[in-house]
Amino acid sequence: MTAQLIDGKQIAEHCRLQVQQQAVAMLQQTGVSPHLAAILCGDDPASQVYVRNKEKACAKAGLRSTLHRLPADVTQQQLQQLIAALNSNPDVHGILVQLPLPRHLDTVAILDAVTPLKDVDAFHPENVGLMLQGRPRFLPCTPAGVMRLLSASGIPTAGRHAVVIGRSDIVGKPMAALLLQKGADATVTVCHSRTPDIAALCRQADIVIAAVGIPNFVHGDWLKPDAVVIDVGINRLGDKLVGDVDFDAAVGHVAAITPVPGGVGPMTIAMLLENTLTAARLQTTRP
Ligand code: NAP
């Protein structure tokens, strides 16, 4: 049996078209066009690619975006001043600070400085709290993208055992929280670098979500034949991008799997577009 390939590009394209239609309707009804402000500090090549892809996606979806480029030696105060200006600018609806920030900056303080109503990455503690309580303002983009991949592919989560590998604030923890929410109703195991025998846990999993950052971390023989495998990892191996799952070993015998690239990555951007539209709606009163 060969696995069903979960096509993140196609599902993301569908999401983008819906955002585009809704943005057109919003402009007609309110005169407001959603606007994302992205902040890029320094010249990390991967971050430049990510920001460029987000700008391109905004343009394709009919959303406005503005990139604020700051030098790698920007001070905490200068960056916070820019965020304060964007927070109070009524023409800006979403603010994105591209991570990682240069080491001398206090990332937590910077992310906390973004007003929760414009926090389209859903990193602010207020938005994390609302999400945990099951009444989200914005959903965190990568985990929300994974949930959308599953639902769009007709893969149920209720009553199923999901193993999430990774417990970062950006992926693993919110991923586990979304799977656990009422409505999603999965039974969730979260693994990290101190978890013994992750292979044995994966062998019990109906759904494996890998967000580790180690190429081919999940071996093919860790996966049940009917498992669904979502590979969040993006790792550069020579001139190739690979995930955290040994795709070639897994694809022959699991039920469904996401490719890297073309799986979770496009969905993360699609969810950012949705959050930007939501942010604009939250900040717009009908005339
Ligand atoms: P991260 O902050 O580095 O977290 C990695 C997690 O993996 C940590 O919880 C860590 O455990 C765990 N881990 C590391 N080594 C391990 C080991 N040997 N055994 C078990 N667990 C281990 O990374 P992240 O930001 O969550 O990202 C994870 C991957 O997803 C990366 O490849 C990243 O590029 C990718 N990513 C992709 C997207 C997308 O849109 N597709 C978005 C975000 C991230 P500890 O907590 O114990 O250290």
Side-chain angles (χ1 to χ4, degrees):
M1 189 185 77
T2 300
Q4 171 197 349
L5 265 195
I6 301 176
D7 187 344
K9 268 194 195 167
Q10 191 185 42
I11 298 167
E13 175 68 6
H14 179 73
C15 298
R16 183 182 68 72
L17 284 173
Q18 287 198 324
V19 168
Q20 190 175 21
Q21 284 167 6
Q22 291 169 33
V24 167
M26 184 175 183
L27 185 61
Q28 284 167 353
Q29 286 160 14
T30 65
V32 171
S33 167
H35 182 189
L36 175 71
I39 302 174
L40 177 62
C41 300
D43 44 20
D44 174 59
S47 293
Q48 300 207 37
V49 172
Y50 290 139
V51 165
R52 204 176 313 129
N53 288 343
K54 289 168 188 175
E55 283 190 289
K56 276 190 203 160
C58 280
K60 275 177 97 178
L63 309 184
R64 291 179 296 148
S65 71
T66 304
L67 175 58
H68 298 264
R69 281 179 177 276
L70 297 173
D73 61 356
V74 62
T75 66
Q76 184 86 12
Q77 196 192 13
Q78 287 167 329
L79 181 50
Q80 288 194 332
Q81 275 170 356
L82 172 60
I83 292 173
L86 297 171
N87 281 344
S88 58
N89 181 347
D91 187 46
V92 169
H93 306 105
I95 301 171
L96 173 157
V97 182
Q98 184 63 45
L99 299 180
L101 287 172
R103 278 164 187 260
H104 66 281
L105 297 172
D106 178 347
T107 300
V108 172
I110 293 297
L111 297 180
D112 284 0
V114 174
T115 182
L117 278 177
K118 299 188 180 185
D119 169 39
V120 286
D121 268 329
F123 291 158
H124 192 283
E126 184 177 311
N127 288 323
V128 175
L130 288 169
M131 184 267 299
L132 275 174
Q133 291 184 345
R135 48 188 187 121
R137 179 186 280 136
F138 303 114
L139 289 174
C141 297
T142 301
V146 171
M147 296 306 284
R148 190 67 66 81
L149 278 181
L150 292 171
S151 61
S153 307
I155 295 167
T157 51
R160 303 182 92 189
H161 181 201
V163 169
V164 178
I165 317 174
R167 58 170 167 182
S168 69
D169 290 337
I170 294 176
V171 189
K173 274 189 214 162
M175 187 71 253
L178 293 185
L179 286 160
L180 205 56
Q181 251 0 300
K182 273 203 182 299
D185 297 322
T187 302
V188 185
T189 300
V190 184
C191 308
H192 46 79
S193 64
R194 307 295 300 272
T195 305
D197 207 352
I198 294 177
L201 293 165
C202 285
R203 287 191 184 104
Q204 298 167 28
D206 303 309
I207 300 171
V208 173
I209 299 180
V212 193
I214 300 177
N216 302 325
F217 179 83
V218 176
H219 299 195
D221 65 358
W222 293 12
L223 302 163
K224 288 201 298 184
D226 59 350
V228 171
V229 183
I230 306 290
D231 194 347
V232 180
I234 302 178
N235 310 293
R236 188 159 283 285
L237 207 58
D239 57 356
K240 264 182 79 183
L241 279 188
V242 299
D244 291 345
V245 178
D246 183 346
F247 182 88
D248 293 338
V251 72
H253 74 275
V254 297
I257 188 165
T258 55
V260 178
V264 177
M267 293 305 295
T268 297
I269 296 185
M271 296 300 103
L272 176 70
L273 300 176
E274 288 194 8
N275 282 348
T276 303
L277 180 69
T278 302
R281 284 185 175 142
L282 287 171
Q283 291 161 66
T284 303
T285 43
R286 283 171 179 254

